[in-house]
Amino acid sequence: MKGWGFQVDALDVARWQFGVTTVYHFLFVPLTIGLSVLVAILQTLWHRTGNERYLKLTKFYGKLFLINFAMGVVTGIVQEFQFGMNWSDYSRFVGDIFGAPLAIEALVAFFLESTFIGLWIFGWDRLPKRLHLASIWAAAIGTNLSAYFILAANSFMQNPVGYRINPDTGRAELTDFLAVLTNKVALITFPHTLAGAFLVAGSLVVAVGLYHVIRNRDSTDTPAYRFATKFGSWVVLISSALVVITGDIQGKIMTEVQPMKMAAAEGLYTTESPASFSVLTIGSLDGSREIFAIKIPYLLSYLGTGDPNGTVHGINDLQAQYASQYGAGSYTPIIPVTYWSFRFMIAFGLAAAAIALLVLWTQRKGRTPTSRWLLRAGLAMPVLPLLANSFGWIFTEMGRQPWIVFGEMLTRDGVSRSVSLTEVLTSFTAFTLIYATLAVIEVKLLLRYARAGVPDLTDHPEPTDDSDDAERPLAFAY
Amino acid sequence: MELTTIWFLLVAVLFTGYFILEGFDFGVGMLLPVLGRDDRERRVLINTIGPVWDGNEVWLITAGGAMFAAFPEWYATLFSGFYLPLLLILLALIARGVAFEYRHKRPETTWKRRWDTAIFLGSLIPAILWGVAFANILRGVPLDADHEYVGDLLNLLNPYALLGGATTAALFLTHGAVFIALKTVGDIRHRARTLAVRLGAGTAVLAVAFLTWTLTIRSSTTATVLAAGAALALLAGLAAAHTRREGWAFTGTAVAIALAVATLFAALFPNLLPSTGDPTGTLTASNAASTPYTLKIMTWVAVVFTPIVLAYQGWTYWVFRKRIGVAHIPHH
């Protein structure tokens, strides 16, 4: 398609579609991963102490969790179908390896998650208390397990292991499944992603709790909100520490297996030992050299190699090396995208942690925060780690370019040959429109239910055994 | 038995499970404006599948994953070739899934009406398009020597495939009506059962026509026996519905769907997607399969986890076995 002086082909649109649908899907995933566990913890606290405060919080955050969960489920199906629809040559090339974790994810994790979430939603008056509690834990375990399998699949694209290329078919074939599951990229990306997810979930718990602590100061439920705010803040602080620790290890593995991505994260054009960490680098328009930079000496060497004097390879050297190894062509990702997404990831994540610290400080020794600024910062909290998560994914996927499977297949070779520009434009437009509409609806619902606060438990009579009145209304109904 | 045959059977089983389970979900969704005369009745209908629809849909995700893992060529050719129908199915499933969860979240009538439309269309569109898709798989589509789809949308909208779409939609409608009769009490139960019998008559005609046409395209003794079994099961189910035995009626429609899907897969075997273009383009269980190593691992995973999944999913149906009626719908 020509016009306005640029040209769009099916490949570009397929890439944009993957980016938009995946980033969108991953707005809901972290909350599902993190909040399922946090809600399970709250319900366990109720189960152990019998304190109604925890039951109220379970139901309250459970509702927010479910509003979000629905979106994660339906946008997830698109992800599985999209590989075949838009990336069929990629699917043919890696199917022998990549399909297995996806199928196992569905069989082992999604069934667990979906079945037990149904039992949890509708089971308040149908299941014994203990089994009902077990249901939310089963769903939470399923959700977290699913992350492992999908990250194992993604890690194969970053650092292919446990395979060979069949010389007759030219396709990748699995030779060691255990190696795929224990790919060092997968092993470190899993805790990093999970910690990032808990950062989002904890932030949501804080934001909503803080809103009620500051707005409804004399409510009988204030102690519940105060607890939620503190609980969420600790979750944020612990998970941000874990994000940093795992991210540090990940950086070292990345320097080893994907040195170009590390160089691109830094805008490091020439190989340095020791290498400085760039606080700000502005490169020339063609991306081959830097014009202006502020740097912290030794830090990049330390981050990348663990040694302050370690060698970190630069973009230009790696480009020359790859060109001789894989043939002529550009093997450099879009540097401004990787450089800035890397920094935004770190900055937004740290900002959330800083606010959590502030929230805890203002509530020390039974104090009540009153500041409207703190409220504003608190309300911004869930957005910050969501942005950090999105930028993290944009960084890691864009940093792998031009490869779809690092060192083995270029992204442009993975696209579906039989799908026309019109078709992929149609689907891209359709998904963008329906996703945008649903985003507005979802956010409004979340705000509505977050504002409404914890439920009044007198509405929900405690479940008794199921032999009584057959006409009794359901404890929960759609 | 060869690993490729085992996986052909497993994919068939997964789609069979999907169509039996989400078949009645689709039926309930399509019948929402017909059987649900007011908001409370519509809520009764939605709540008959409320706790289970999400788990039912995972059968599709697993079937898709199994195709990808066991027959990557099949997955790649099919999903890129049937692009627009699959896009419509995805959009429908998105709108429908969100609708179940969001419909009751606000009291306004317009809000509920819109989600009701989403549930109706989100059930109708896949109910038709799955039939169109599977009929085309059986009939074959134009593929080149690289197994790439070379047809267009019109190739997929042939009379046989459209009959297939009408058949699945009718089967799911009948199946859904029987399911509602099985899961509700009061007036709605009786209306559902009466409707099931009426719909069933038309469905039987469509199903017999479609299966007969199927056997003229591709046939085997097994497929013929299965098709006859499907027709008999449907008729037996309808007879049971007529005599107010809803449990047996549901068993009848469930078995009819299972045998109809089995007929398609049996007629197809050992092909996965026949080519009506270049004959070397035809995908078979052997030329589209993953390596034996991958299939072996996947077989072990399936052997261990499938019974566990069936056990807890079956248990869910037991937990929510009680019939519901308008009296059970809470006021808020």
Side-chain angles (χ1 to χ4, degrees):
Chain A
M1 186 179 280
K2 283 186 182 177
W4 306 294
F6 66 89
Q7 204 175 338
V8 179
D9 57 23
L11 172 66
D12 297 326
V13 185
R15 288 185 65 184
W16 271 103
Q17 181 178 318
F18 195 85
V20 167
T21 54
T22 307
V23 167
Y24 189 79
H25 176 59
F26 213 79
L27 295 176
F28 308 104
V29 173
L31 262 183
T32 304
I33 290 175
L35 215 46
S36 61
V37 175
L38 299 188
V39 170
I41 292 174
L42 289 170
Q43 191 170 341
T44 309
L45 286 173
W46 172 60
H47 193 77
R48 285 282 169 86
T49 64
N51 188 336
E52 282 207 336
R53 175 204 296 177
Y54 301 122
L55 177 60
K56 286 184 170 187
L57 289 175
T58 303
K59 295 206 166 188
F60 177 51
Y61 285 111
K63 226 172 232 173
L64 302 181
F65 165 71
L66 290 175
I67 291 171
N68 168 78
F69 180 78
M71 295 288 287
V73 168
V74 297
T75 54
I77 311 175
V78 176
Q79 296 308 103
E80 190 201 49
F81 277 47
Q82 189 165 203
F83 292 114
M85 289 171 75
N86 282 349
W87 303 97
S88 59
D89 272 1
Y90 164 75
S91 301
R92 289 189 175 96
F93 178 71
V94 295
D96 196 63
I97 301 148
F98 194 83
L102 257 60
I104 296 173
E105 182 189 23
L107 186 64
V108 175
F110 286 155
F111 268 123
L112 196 65
E113 178 186 8
S114 303
T115 309
F116 282 92
I117 209 73
L119 279 160
W120 186 72
I121 301 173
F122 288 86
W124 285 96
D125 60 344
R126 295 291 163 103
L127 291 172
K129 266 188 182 179
R130 203 176 269 272
L131 262 180
H132 186 254
L133 175 65
S135 299
I136 186 71
W137 277 110
I141 290 167
T143 305
N144 281 266
L145 259 181
S146 75
Y148 181 74
F149 291 109
I150 197 68
L151 290 172
N154 177 265
S155 296
F156 181 82
M157 301 164 79
Q158 313 288 351
N159 177 40
V161 290
Y163 74 108
R164 68 170 194 133
I165 301 292
N166 182 328
D168 300 329
T169 59
R171 303 218 174 119
E173 289 181 354
L174 188 60
T175 56
D176 186 351
F177 190 53
L178 200 62
V180 171
L181 290 182
T182 57
N183 188 339
K184 57 183 165 187
V185 176
L187 292 180
I188 193 62
T189 308
F190 179 59
H192 189 65
T193 308
L194 251 49
F198 279 90
L199 198 59
V200 180
S203 297
L204 183 87
V205 172
V206 178
V208 178
L210 189 68
Y211 170 82
H212 289 285
V213 167
I214 295 183
R215 281 296 174 86
N216 310 323
R217 224 158 296 163
D218 305 314
S219 151
T220 50
D221 292 317
T222 304
Y225 295 127
R226 286 183 67 94
F227 170 80
T229 311
K230 284 187 192 166
F231 173 58
S233 298
W234 279 110
V235 170
V236 169
L237 287 178
I238 294 167
S239 48
S240 56
L242 290 173
V243 169
V244 171
I245 294 165
T246 52
D248 178 56
I249 301 169
Q250 213 179 8
K252 290 176 175 60
I253 291 174
M254 182 170 75
T255 309
E256 181 196 332
V257 301
Q258 289 174 292
M260 180 60 103
K261 198 193 274 188
M262 190 55 166
E266 279 308 312
L268 181 75
Y269 288 98
T270 49
T271 302
E272 287 181 17
S273 51
S276 333
F277 179 85
S278 151
V279 179
L280 176 69
T281 297
I282 295 170
S284 62
L285 278 178
D286 65 355
S288 64
R289 66 194 167 81
E290 64 186 46
I291 295 171
F292 172 80
I294 304 171
K295 294 182 168 179
I296 304 172
Y298 303 108
L299 184 59
L300 181 59
S301 281
Y302 182 73
L303 288 178
T305 64
D307 172 3
N309 290 308
T311 303
V312 178
H313 292 281
I315 295 162
N316 296 340
D317 301 300
L318 289 165
Q319 166 61 36
Q321 181 199 323
Y322 290 161
S324 68
Q325 192 176 345
Y326 302 113
S330 167
Y331 298 94
T332 309
I334 306 169
I335 304 301
V337 171
T338 51
Y339 179 86
W340 287 109
S341 56
F342 189 65
R343 271 151 195 73
F344 285 149
M345 169 184 79
I346 295 169
F348 285 122
L350 291 179
I355 300 171
L357 209 54
L358 198 64
V359 169
L360 278 178
W361 176 252
T362 55
Q363 291 202 59
R364 72 193 184 281
K365 294 177 189 159
R367 279 170 231 231
T368 303
T370 50
S371 159
R372 293 187 53 185
W373 284 105
L374 184 70
L375 179 60
R376 280 179 201 157
L379 292 179
M381 246 179 107
V383 181
L384 300 171
L386 270 182
L387 286 170
N389 272 276
S390 299
F391 280 116
W393 275 111
I394 291 170
F395 165 69
T396 206
E397 293 297 291
M398 288 300 283
R400 191 189 60 235
Q401 303 303 322
W403 301 102
I404 194 165
V405 179
F406 182 77
E408 292 294 353
M409 186 185 223
L410 293 171
T411 304
R412 65 163 183 260
D413 297 329
V415 77
S416 296
R417 278 173 285 163
S418 64
V419 174
S420 68
L421 175 64
T422 318
E423 284 175 315
V424 67
L425 263 180
T426 307
S427 75
F428 180 46
T429 313
F431 282 125
T432 308
L433 288 178
I434 195 170
Y435 279 11
T437 312
L438 289 177
V440 174
I441 294 169
E442 203 251 3
V443 169
K444 277 190 180 168
L445 267 186
L446 273 179
L447 292 177
R448 179 190 177 97
Y449 278 86
R451 255 191 227 116
V454 297
D456 184 1
L457 291 180
T458 50
D459 282 0
H460 305 279
E462 273 305 295
T464 48
D465 65 309
D466 62 353
S467 59
D468 65 1
D469 188 10
E471 297 286 287
R472 188 164 49 85
L474 302 164
F476 176 86
Y478 275 147
Chain B
M1 199 186 288
E2 278 184 61
L3 281 169
T4 49
T5 311
I6 291 175
W7 275 90
F8 180 89
L9 284 173
L10 273 172
V11 171
V13 166
L14 287 167
F15 273 109
T16 305
Y18 174 64
F19 287 131
I20 291 175
L21 295 172
E22 200 149 70
F24 64 72
D25 291 350
F26 288 147
V28 171
M30 289 187 279
L31 291 170
L32 195 62
V34 183
L35 283 173
R37 291 196 294 211
D38 56 30
D39 183 55
R40 287 178 78 77
E41 286 197 351
R42 284 191 285 274
R43 288 185 69 186
V44 170
L45 295 175
I46 294 168
N47 279 287
T48 59
I49 56 169
V52 293
W53 75 267
D54 188 9
N56 293 347
E57 201 156 281
V58 179
W59 283 79
L60 171 65
I61 302 174
T62 310
M67 279 176 108
F68 196 171
F71 304 107
E73 285 272 4
W74 193 18
Y75 167 79
T77 301
L78 199 63
F79 280 51
S80 58
F82 291 15
Y83 198 85
L84 292 174
L86 284 176
L87 171 66
L88 281 174
I89 287 173
L90 286 174
L91 295 172
L93 293 182
I94 290 171
R96 173 177 157 280
V98 174
F100 287 139
E101 195 58 50
Y102 287 4
R103 183 190 185 277
H104 70 113
K105 291 270 186 255
R106 292 180 70 118
E108 297 89 341
T109 314
T110 39
W111 170 269
K112 294 189 170 187
R113 277 277 155 77
R114 279 179 195 160
W115 290 119
D116 286 345
T117 310
I119 292 174
F120 173 74
L121 289 177
S123 303
L124 176 71
I125 292 169
I128 296 172
L129 289 179
W130 282 125
V132 172
F134 272 82
N136 275 307
I137 292 174
L138 185 109
R139 180 175 177 266
V141 291
L143 302 178
D144 67 14
D146 291 338
H147 311 299
E148 288 281 358
Y149 181 70
V150 287
D152 54 23
L153 186 61
L154 287 177
N155 288 83
L156 301 178
L157 300 177
N158 54 76
Y160 169 70
L162 293 176
L163 178 63
T167 306
T168 47
L171 266 174
F172 296 159
L173 266 173
T174 309
H175 190 44
V178 170
F179 179 79
I180 294 165
L182 179 66
K183 296 295 289 180
T184 56
V185 287
D187 187 40
I188 205 166
R189 170 185 179 184
H190 300 295
R191 274 187 280 133
R193 200 184 47 232
T194 315
L195 185 63
V197 176
R198 261 191 250 152
L199 285 170
T203 303
V205 174
L206 282 173
V208 168
F210 175 67
L211 289 175
T212 312
W213 195 341
T214 301
L215 295 173
T216 63
I217 297 174
R218 240 169 267 287
S219 181
S220 68
T221 319
T222 321
T224 314
V225 172
L226 290 169
L232 286 176
L234 183 59
L235 293 176
L238 295 175
H242 189 65
T243 54
R244 307 189 169 197
R245 280 174 297 187
E246 285 126 353
W248 285 109
F250 181 73
T251 311
T253 50
V255 172
I257 290 174
L259 293 179
V261 179
T263 305
L264 294 182
F265 276 93
L268 192 60
F269 188 78
N271 292 329
L272 299 179
L273 188 59
S275 170
T276 57
D278 190 326
T280 60
T282 293
L283 288 168
T284 68
S286 48
N287 75 8
S290 283
T291 56
Y293 176 70
T294 297
L295 292 179
K296 213 161 82 183
I297 290 168
M298 293 300 300
T299 307
W300 278 110
V301 175
V303 164
V304 173
F305 284 97
T306 313
I308 299 174
V309 169
L310 287 174
Y312 65 65
Q313 218 176 28
W315 176 66
T316 308
Y317 280 90
W318 174 251
V319 170
F320 298 107
R321 67 193 176 279
K322 275 191 183 171
R323 292 172 177 270
I324 55 169
V326 282
H328 298 100
I329 300 300
H331 281 279
H332 46 82

